[in-house]
Structures are given as structure tokens and as C-alpha cells.
Amino acid sequence: MKRTLNKLERRIRKAAAMIVIGLAGTLASLLIFHPLSFIGFIIVGIALMLFANVYFLYALIRGPGKERAIEQAATQEVITMQPEEGGKTEPEIKPELTPEYVLAP
Amino acid sequence: MITPLDALIAIIAITLAIDLFLVFRPAATHGSGGRLLAFLGIFLMPLLITGMAFDTHMETSKQTEYCLSCHTMLTHGLSLYVDDKEYIPAVHFQNHRVPKEKACFTCHTQYTLYGDYAAKMRGLRHIYYQYIGTIPDTIKLHEPYNNRECLHCHEGARSFEEQSIHTGSPGQMDSIKRNEISCLSSGCHDIAHDAMKLDRVQLWEPYDARYRPAWFLDTLARSLAHIQPSHIVRSPAENSTPAASPDATSNTESN
């Protein structure tokens, strides 16, 4: 089964893609001896890479998003639903999930 | 031998590989190893590359050929070959008082904190004029030339300190050092590039091919076709031994 990417991974992919473009621009600017190559480096290289850096930090701060929280909550519920010694099931933590948070099978 | 540029290109290639891997396999960041890879490839190494590439570009932009890659500046470059010791830039360039590969930048930077960056910011304006704006008919300095740039090399030099014209009157040397008397505009060393009058002066053509860069020959051939061959003074060494130094010309600095 193919696992869908959470928000953190999607943001990391976007940041990596921006870095790839920025690096390609930087590499081209280094190999071309022309006054405009410096400008190209500033506009494409520096701008994209710094933006990708900030976006990466933002992604780390925001975390994996709702999908990951649901995954964790579901896992936690499964653990707490294990039958106890007396055979009685007493869920300790029961996160309240709104319908939009319910994962598709 | 590995140059800094080679090292930088190698680092860029490694970072590109890491980032391409992250683009196609972002799920790899699920584990701690993947997260470390992402931190290296997206944060740490791009920052390092940005710094190194900026420094490389700064060094490249200090080269004489870089400054003269704009057609407008070719006459200023050619003025470095004027066969007249009154031309201050020419005397400095021909006698290796300034590094040949950084001839423009050595005199046109500011010897202050962040002076290099200030010079490059002015350079960005030049690029704007070259490609988007209008190039002025007469190219002038942004501000009067500061003695600080001359004194960066000459201050403390015996040939400068003992020159009678510099110490002729009491307090003159102090006035020069305080920039109250300008080296260039006080009637002493007042001929700089004078690029508009190059068709009236003789040019020196170095004997050694290493000191006849491509831009010099191109400019001679294309940009200043009105300069007669008789205006070009070839080094005396051309007719004698080939091992002569380019310094051995009639154009030597007096101070």
C-alpha cells in the first residue's frame, strides 16, 4: 500500500525542489563569466535558497499536520483498547475526532 | 590542483544529489537519518554554498577583465596603456604598482570596513545603467576621489614621505593625510584616465604577450579604430632580447 505523504514531507519536498533550482542557478552563474551572472546568482540562487531555508524551518515548526495527529491518535486508541486482566475494556484516552478527521480505509 | 571553485562545484553536486533524493523520496525523512539528511541538504549546505558562491562572485567581480566586459569601459582599460607618466592609472598599471588582474578594483574600492561591498553596490548601479538605463556620455566618479585610497599603499613609503613636494610647506603632509588637499584634483596628479583623449596619446604595447590581454588587443582592433598604428609604442625589448621585463620601459613612476 502506498502511504500518502503528510504535510511535513510535502513541505520538505517543496523546499528541496526550491533548493535544486537555486543550486542549478548558482552553478550556472559560477560557470558563466558575465556581469549578469552575479545578478542571476542573487535573484535565483540566494533568493530561492534562503526562501527554501525559511520554508524548511517553517515546515519543522508546523510539524506533520492533522494527518499525523490522527495517525498518532488512532495508534494511541488501539493501544488503550487492549483488554485488561479482567477482560474489561476501559479506554483511558478517547480523542474526540470530528468526521473530517476520520481516515479513509 | 583543486581550486576553491572546484571544491564549491563538488559541494553543489553533493547537495544537488541529496535534494533530488528528497524530492523523489520525501518519505525518507520519516526516520532520524532522513531528517538529518534533510537538515544537511536543505538547510546547512545551501547556507554554506550561498556564502562560498557569494565570495567567489565577489572575487570574480574584482577582476580587470570583469570590469572591462562592458564595452563602455574599454577606453578606460585602454588608458592603462598610455605611454605617458603623467597618467596616474597607466603608471601604476604598467609598473605593477597595482595587481594587473585587479587593476580597477585596487584603486576604485574604499579601504574602509565593508568598502568592498560598497564598491560592488556601486557596480550593481553600473550594471543597471549598462543593460536597462542610459549610459552617460561622460563617465565620472560617484564622489571626489578620497586620498585614503592612495594612502592605503603610499602612506609610510619612503618615496612618498620624502618627496619634497609633499613636505614643502608646514602641515602639508598632514593636510594630504586628512584629505584636505586632494592628490588628484589639486593640480598635482590631476590626469587620471582621460579616456576621451586617447586618440591624441601614444600607447605602450608590452613586448611580453602575457601582458597583452585579449581585451587590450580587441579594443585596439575594434573599439578604437581611429587610433593610428604610429600611436602605439612598442617595447624597446621587442627589437632585442625576448627576456626583457615589461618594467624596463621609459614609463617609470617618479614617486
Side-chain angles (χ1 to χ4, degrees), chain A residues 3 5 9 12-13 15-17 19-20 23 26 29-31 33-36 38-39 41 46 49 53 56-57, chain B residues 8-9 12 15-16 19 23 26 29-30 42-43 46-47 49-50 53-54 56-57 60 63 66 69 124 127 131:
Chain A
R3 193 174 70 84
L5 298 175
E9 291 161 350
I12 285 177
R13 170 186 267 179
I19 293 284
V20 167
L23 286 175
T26 302
S29 75
L30 287 170
L31 297 176
F33 187 86
H34 194 274
L36 289 181
F38 199 174
I39 308 291
F41 165 66
I46 292 184
M49 286 202 280
N53 272 333
F56 175 67
L57 293 178
Chain B
L8 178 57
I9 289 172
I12 289 175
T15 313
L16 265 176
D19 285 311
V23 167
T29 57
H30 209 65
I42 300 178
F43 189 77
L47 279 183
I49 288 167
T50 303
F54 187 80
T56 304
H57 273 291
T60 304
Q63 291 178 20
Y66 184 91
S69 59
L124 288 179
I127 290 176
Y131 293 103

Side-chain angles (χ1 to χ4, degrees), chain A residues 30-104:
Chain A
L30 287 170
L31 297 176
I32 299 169
F33 187 86
H34 194 274
L36 289 181
S37 66
F38 199 174
I39 308 291
F41 165 66
I42 291 172
I43 293 173
V44 179
I46 292 184
L48 265 178
M49 286 202 280
L50 288 185
F51 183 75
N53 272 333
V54 173
Y55 192 70
F56 175 67
L57 293 178
Y58 169 78
L60 292 183
I61 291 168
R62 290 302 299 268
K66 291 171 185 172
E67 297 96 331
R68 183 67 186 275
I70 292 163
E71 272 181 31
Q72 283 177 342
T75 311
Q76 203 169 20
E77 192 169 10
V78 168
I79 291 167
T80 54
M81 290 293 282
Q82 296 295 323
E84 291 180 358
E85 287 179 1
K88 193 179 176 183
T89 304
E90 282 290 332
E92 290 174 359
I93 301 169
K94 197 171 184 180
E96 291 179 6
L97 300 177
T98 55
E100 62 179 307
Y101 290 168
V102 176
L103 287 172

Side-chain angles (χ1 to χ4, degrees), chain B residues 80-81 88-98 100 103 215:
Chain B
L80 299 175
Y81 287 90
I88 291 297
V91 171
H92 282 74
F93 180 77
Q94 292 169 25
N95 295 295
H96 293 195
R97 303 282 190 233
V98 292
K100 280 188 179 282
W215 59 262

Side-chain angles (χ1 to χ4, degrees), chain B residues 15-16 22 43 53 59 74 79-81 83 90 93 101 109 136 204 210 222-225 240:
Chain B
T15 313
L16 265 176
L22 291 173
F43 189 77
E59 288 303 313
L74 283 174
S79 74
L80 299 175
Y81 287 90
D83 188 45
F93 180 77
E101 63 277 6
T109 187
W204 169 66
R210 288 177 301 167
R222 293 186 292 109
S223 306
L224 292 170
S240 57

